[in-house]
Amino acid sequence: MPQLSELSGQMPASPIRKLVPFANAAKKRGIKVYHLNIGQPDIPTPENVLEAIRQYNEPLIAYTQSQGTESYRQGLARYYQKHGIDVTADDIIVTTGGSEALLFTVGSIANPGDEIIIPEPYYANYNSFVTLFKVKVVPVQSRIEDNFALPPVEAFEELITPRTKAILYSNPSNPTGYVYSKEEIGKLRQLALKHDIFIIADEVYREFIYGDTKHHSILHQPDMETHGIIVDSVSKRYSMCGARIGAVVSKNKELMASVLKFAQARLSPPTLGQYASEAALDTPQSYFDEVIDEYKTRRDILIEGLESIPGVKIGYPKGAFYLMAELPVDDTDRFARWLLESFSHNGETVMVAPASGFYSNPALGSKQVRIAYVLNTADLRRSVELLRMAIEQYNQEK
Amino acid sequence: MPQLSELSGQMPASPIRKLVPFANAAKKRGIKVYHLNIGQPDIPTPENVLEAIRQYNEPLIAYTQSQGTESYRQGLARYYQKHGIDVTADDIIVTTGGSEALLFTVGSIANPGDEIIIPEPYYANYNSFVTLFKVKVVPVQSRIEDNFALPPVEAFEELITPRTKAILYSNPSNPTGYVYSKEEIGKLRQLALKHDIFIIADEVYREFIYGDTKHHSILHQPDMETHGIIVDSVSKRYSMCGARIGAVVSKNKELMASVLKFAQARLSPPTLGQYASEAALDTPQSYFDEVIDEYKTRRDILIEGLESIPGVKIGYPKGAFYLMAELPVDDTDRFARWLLESFSHNGETVMVAPASGFYSNPALGSKQVRIAYVLNTADLRRSVELLRMAIEQYNQEK
């Protein structure tokens, strides 16, 4: 057969995906698997969104403009303004999920061989976009002992080269749950202005903050018209990952003209998803209050449970719905697979995301796992109990 | 500001898009513009699809598997089997529109500098995908005098080099409306086997054939398990372009494993679109019969009207809903812009797609336009009348 492309060989398969066949095999053996490994919330989509879908009465499902419908972009602009982010519909291009927003952004700013600095651990999927454009990820390590706070700005600055195009971070962070402060983001802003590089802020978890910290956007910072770019998505905000609606938000006209060309190449973002996302803008504050309350409760249960397991170290999260934990095992890739292949208690086991996929150098994550608290509180308690028993048994068997 | 990427400068803006500001300006002046330039059908989406959307009763809009839902892929496999295409759900990966299907396919098979042979004129958007992967389009000219039939297979063969990875064609063809015969596709198959290259068949207009010709798929040909790839989409089939649901279909396991990695990078195709597309599989034959009848009527009205304009040459279409016509004007880019800027009759004008964007060498299309017959018959008659008057006036003013 004809040879496939080099890119095809390079496209990363994450350590989590490699575990999926083992999870499926466990299920075939009748084992119940608690999924602490995925970012698919179980929270219902707001009723106003579901009701709007049931009221859909267009005669045809037509293409929209490549940048998204005028009315949705107007509505989104009002949403951002409400959050103190001063943008208009012209500063927004609607994308097919946050993934595409990042794809178009990286494609617009970076040549092959260019560098993007990312505090690690970072969202494993970032590797796909940089692979596609042959961009080099330059990691800056954050540490579990600091709950994964922003590393000192000097650590960033010494990595900046003539090929550095941007600093990319997610805030609140997937996978660490860390929420960057105004001061931390202010330091990145100064770097961006001094070295003329972009700041790409993945703010898809904006609403998911527990406690008094306020979300601080890159576009809250002054003078970020040229250098600041928000990557956003409705996926987590309204528990509608399947809508596949995101956005690139920036006041940089030249950048946005480039993003639009990428957007035109795929014609139109999903029409039904945009329709649902526009309805989602009317979601009452009470929905968020309940959801945030629920996640806060889950977080606290998870932390309490993990703290009771000897040898576990926790990166305490303030946002999103993940935390990174260090486990007292030799290797979390091996342990995660063992959980699915060789462990069960009363016919149940648990699936976690080994952290190797969240680090540029997989070895750095070899003792850590990411745990998503997207299960209800009873399942979460049971999952932590399973984890506790599993760690003990795993270390005895060795 | 930081420099944008080279790719950003290279992403093509089609000649049609360049006209959009002039169309908008005309509308602002109160002029009614008949759009013969676009592929957005006015035909309603099947009622069974709209009804299914109104019945949506999932509690949340979740991610699906990256390859699409099991039930939709099973349903699609049955659809293909009904059309004599022997595939199973495992041979199908659901994509975000036909655009993404082509993107993942080209990304999987071609390195920068590799070549894909395409009979021209071809769908202008193909240029975006090849630009993204720095692949070279090698055109083979088809001629209006032959109604854009497949050029002699020798013309393909003499262009095959060690860097040739595939032959790509759309069938029925956008922009020409030509329907490739079993014999023509058989010749391409022989080339593929002899030279070990892929055949990528864009079959999104499969159902849109007028008269007795039967659609012949690349996967109807024997021994195409390794080399045959279908790129497909529900956009035109069910008049639901905005669903953004397409598919890559191939029995080549290695290729499909690669496409899946690209699919995993964007997590999930749109859930609501898949839901609507699954419902669309139950569309009764009567819907297609009516739609095909309507397009056939439109095609015949369009051809009759164009034949009555002195100096117009037509590439007679047998499928899709486009035709290419040669107009007696000096330059169709200039003429198309003039139609929007300087012409009107009783407050109305018409917009056509200059053919320069459908050729690798734009000069080859400088006398041709693509006309989409996606307007109702009354509007179509009026559009042709406007075109007739405009050609006359344009040539007098010169």
Side-chain angles (χ1 to χ4, degrees):
Chain A
M1 74 167 265
Q3 243 189 340
L4 296 184
S5 66
E6 285 161 27
L7 183 59
S8 157
Q10 291 155 355
M11 284 299 283
S14 85
I16 309 175
R17 291 195 191 282
K18 283 184 212 152
L19 287 175
V20 171
F22 301 106
N24 292 340
K27 286 173 196 170
K28 273 202 184 138
R29 295 196 311 274
I31 306 244
K32 172 165 182 182
V33 179
Y34 291 95
H35 286 278
L36 298 178
N37 59 301
I38 47 170
Q40 167 69 62
D42 65 333
I43 303 281
T45 306
E47 186 49 37
N48 44 301
V49 174
L50 300 172
E51 182 55 29
I53 293 170
R54 291 191 290 263
Q55 300 289 330
Y56 189 77
N57 72 349
E58 298 293 324
L60 79 164
I61 306 169
Y63 287 129
T64 73
Q65 290 177 289
S66 297
Q67 64 267 44
T69 68
E70 182 68 22
S71 64
Y72 178 47
R73 284 160 54 241
Q74 294 283 359
L76 259 184
R78 285 192 296 275
Y79 161 87
Y80 287 118
Q81 284 156 15
K82 218 178 67 188
H83 286 78
I85 298 168
D86 184 25
V87 293
T88 69
D90 290 341
D91 306 320
I92 299 169
I93 289 175
V94 178
T95 57
T96 308
S99 314
E100 196 183 73
L102 196 59
L103 184 78
F104 292 171
T105 300
V106 174
S108 291
I109 66 170
N111 291 320
D114 281 350
E115 296 164 4
I116 296 183
I117 300 176
I118 313 182
E120 72 177 358
Y122 59 85
Y123 177 41
N125 231 30
Y126 290 169
N127 287 323
S128 309
F129 310 120
V130 299
T131 302
L132 204 56
F133 295 114
K134 300 185 197 310
V135 172
K136 195 176 151 203
V137 170
V138 177
V140 181
Q141 263 183 71
S142 63
R143 297 165 357 118
I144 195 167
E145 292 77 11
D146 307 325
N147 300 320
F148 301 102
L150 195 77
V153 73
E154 293 75 22
F156 286 86
E157 189 154 25
E158 68 192 23
L159 293 171
I160 293 177
T161 76
R163 303 224 59 171
T164 305
K165 299 307 300 237
I167 295 169
L168 163 63
Y169 64 89
S170 62
N171 182 33
S173 164
N174 174 8
T176 71
Y178 187 75
V179 178
Y180 294 102
S181 69
K182 181 177 173 179
E183 289 65 36
E184 288 173 314
I185 294 169
K187 286 179 190 165
L188 294 181
R189 164 191 171 272
Q190 284 180 325
L191 275 191
L193 293 175
K194 181 173 168 193
H195 295 279
D196 197 22
I197 58 178
F198 291 106
I199 304 282
I200 307 169
D202 173 346
E203 301 186 354
V204 307
Y205 294 98
R206 181 177 297 112
E207 278 79 2
F208 297 86
I209 297 186
Y210 318 111
D212 295 334
T213 323
K214 272 229 182 303
H215 184 259
H216 190 78
S217 170
I218 187 62
L219 294 189
H220 285 145
Q221 290 279 332
D223 307 323
M224 277 290 100
E225 288 79 7
T226 301
H227 299 85
I229 307 168
I230 295 175
V231 162
D232 213 338
S233 163
V234 303
S235 291
K236 318 291 171 166
R237 187 164 303 143
Y238 309 107
S239 206
M240 49 196 279
C241 298
R244 309 311 299 127
I245 295 295
V248 179
V249 185
S250 174
K251 298 193 78 73
N252 183 325
K253 299 280 176 213
E254 226 177 298
L255 170 76
M256 294 303 268
S258 168
V259 170
L260 180 59
K261 287 204 290 180
F262 283 88
Q264 287 171 342
R266 58 75 168 125
L267 304 173
S268 161
T271 298
L272 296 171
Q274 285 183 82
Y275 176 84
S277 299
E278 190 170 341
L281 293 170
D282 295 328
T283 302
Q285 185 55 40
S286 56
Y287 173 85
F288 293 106
D289 294 344
E290 280 172 42
V291 170
I292 302 304
D293 259 13
E294 172 68 19
Y295 278 123
K296 189 172 179 310
T297 305
R298 293 175 180 187
R299 180 195 63 163
D300 295 345
I301 287 171
L302 176 63
I303 288 175
E304 194 190 332
L306 290 175
E307 282 178 334
S308 77
I309 305 176
V312 168
K313 208 185 276 182
I314 300 167
Y316 291 89
K318 289 188 279 188
F321 36 67
Y322 308 98
L323 66 71
M324 292 279 284
E326 190 177 303
L327 304 185
V329 297
D330 57 347
D331 180 282
T332 48
D333 273 312
R334 201 174 306 153
F335 175 65
R337 184 169 157 177
W338 177 89
L339 279 171
L340 299 168
E341 279 194 308
S342 309
F343 174 81
S344 70
H345 176 262
N346 291 348
E348 297 181 336
T349 190
V350 63
M351 184 169 174
V352 294
S356 56
F358 302 114
Y359 286 89
S360 257
N361 173 1
L364 292 173
S366 68
K367 304 278 185 193
Q368 300 177 357
V369 293
R370 185 191 71 176
I371 298 179
Y373 38 102
V374 291
L375 302 182
N376 65 51
T377 53
D379 287 355
L380 202 56
R381 278 185 220 276
R382 173 65 178 151
S383 301
V384 177
E385 192 195 355
L386 287 166
L387 202 57
R388 186 182 52 71
M389 290 185 285
I391 289 172
E392 201 174 325
Q393 187 179 322
Y394 178 80
N395 284 323
Q396 277 168 1
E397 285 186 10
K398 254 199 329 176
Chain B
M1 74 167 265
Q3 245 190 340
L4 297 184
S5 66
E6 285 160 28
L7 183 60
S8 157
Q10 290 156 356
M11 285 297 285
S14 84
I16 308 177
R17 292 196 191 280
K18 284 185 210 150
L19 287 175
V20 170
F22 300 107
N24 291 340
K27 287 173 194 170
K28 273 202 182 136
R29 294 196 311 274
I31 306 243
K32 173 165 183 182
V33 179
Y34 290 97
H35 286 277
L36 298 178
N37 59 299
I38 47 169
Q40 166 70 62
D42 64 334
I43 302 283
T45 305
E47 185 50 35
N48 44 302
V49 174
L50 301 171
E51 182 55 29
I53 293 171
R54 290 191 293 263
Q55 300 290 330
Y56 188 78
N57 73 348
E58 298 292 324
L60 79 165
I61 306 168
Y63 288 129
T64 73
Q65 289 178 291
S66 298
Q67 63 269 43
T69 66
E70 183 67 22
S71 63
Y72 178 46
R73 284 161 52 242
Q74 294 284 0
L76 260 183
R78 284 191 296 274
Y79 161 87
Y80 288 117
Q81 284 156 14
K82 219 178 66 185
H83 285 79
I85 298 168
D86 184 25
V87 294
T88 70
D90 289 343
D91 306 321
I92 299 170
I93 290 176
V94 178
T95 58
T96 307
S99 315
E100 197 183 73
L102 196 58
L103 184 78
F104 292 171
T105 300
V106 174
S108 290
I109 66 169
N111 290 319
D114 282 349
E115 298 164 4
I116 296 183
I117 300 177
I118 313 182
E120 73 177 356
Y122 59 85
Y123 178 41
N125 231 30
Y126 290 168
N127 288 321
S128 310
F129 310 119
V130 298
T131 302
L132 204 58
F133 295 113
K134 301 187 197 309
V135 171
K136 197 176 149 203
V137 170
V138 177
V140 180
Q141 265 183 70
S142 63
R143 298 163 359 118
I144 194 167
E145 291 77 10
D146 307 325
N147 299 321
F148 301 103
L150 195 77
V153 74
E154 294 74 25
F156 286 86
E157 189 153 25
E158 70 191 23
L159 293 170
I160 292 176
T161 77
R163 301 223 62 170
T164 305
K165 299 307 299 239
I167 295 169
L168 163 63
Y169 64 89
S170 63
N171 182 33
S173 165
N174 173 6
T176 71
Y178 186 76
V179 178
Y180 293 104
S181 68
K182 180 177 175 180
E183 288 66 35
E184 287 172 315
I185 293 169
K187 288 179 190 166
L188 294 180
R189 164 191 170 273
Q190 285 179 325
L191 275 191
L193 293 176
K194 178 171 169 192
H195 295 279
D196 198 22
I197 59 178
F198 291 107
I199 303 283
I200 308 169
D202 173 348
E203 302 187 354
V204 306
Y205 294 98
R206 182 177 297 113
E207 277 79 2
F208 297 86
I209 296 187
Y210 316 111
D212 295 332
T213 322
K214 272 229 182 301
H215 183 261
H216 190 78
S217 169
I218 187 62
L219 293 190
H220 284 146
Q221 291 279 332
D223 308 321
M224 278 289 98
E225 288 78 8
T226 301
H227 298 85
I229 307 168
I230 294 175
V231 162
D232 213 336
S233 163
V234 303
S235 291
K236 318 291 172 169
R237 184 165 306 142
Y238 309 107
S239 205
M240 49 195 280
C241 298
R244 311 310 300 127
I245 295 296
V248 179
V249 185
S250 173
K251 299 194 79 74
N252 183 324
K253 299 279 175 215
E254 226 178 297
L255 170 77
M256 294 303 269
S258 168
V259 169
L260 180 59
K261 287 204 290 179
F262 283 87
Q264 287 171 340
R266 57 78 166 123
L267 306 175
S268 161
T271 299
L272 295 172
Q274 285 183 82
Y275 176 84
S277 299
E278 190 170 341
L281 293 171
D282 296 328
T283 302
Q285 184 56 38
S286 57
Y287 173 85
F288 293 107
D289 293 344
E290 279 173 40
V291 169
I292 302 304
D293 257 14
E294 172 67 20
Y295 278 123
K296 188 172 181 310
T297 305
R298 292 175 180 187
R299 179 194 66 162
D300 294 344
I301 287 170
L302 177 63
I303 289 176
E304 193 189 334
L306 289 175
E307 283 180 332
S308 77
I309 306 177
V312 168
K313 208 186 274 183
I314 300 167
Y316 291 89
K318 287 188 280 187
F321 37 65
Y322 309 97
L323 67 73
M324 293 279 283
E326 190 177 303
L327 305 185
V329 297
D330 57 347
D331 180 281
T332 48
D333 273 312
R334 200 174 306 154
F335 174 66
R337 184 169 158 178
W338 176 89
L339 278 171
L340 298 167
E341 278 193 308
S342 311
F343 174 80
S344 72
H345 176 262
N346 292 346
E348 297 181 336
T349 191
V350 64
M351 184 168 173
V352 294
S356 56
F358 301 114
Y359 287 88
S360 259
N361 172 3
L364 292 173
S366 68
K367 304 279 185 193
Q368 299 178 356
V369 293
R370 184 191 71 177
I371 298 179
Y373 38 103
V374 291
L375 302 182
N376 66 49
T377 53
D379 286 357
L380 202 56
R381 278 185 220 276
R382 172 65 177 152
S383 301
V384 177
E385 192 195 356
L386 288 165
L387 202 58
R388 186 182 52 72
M389 289 185 287
I391 290 172
E392 200 175 327
Q393 186 179 324
Y394 178 79
N395 283 324
Q396 276 167 3
E397 283 185 13
K398 259 197 329 180

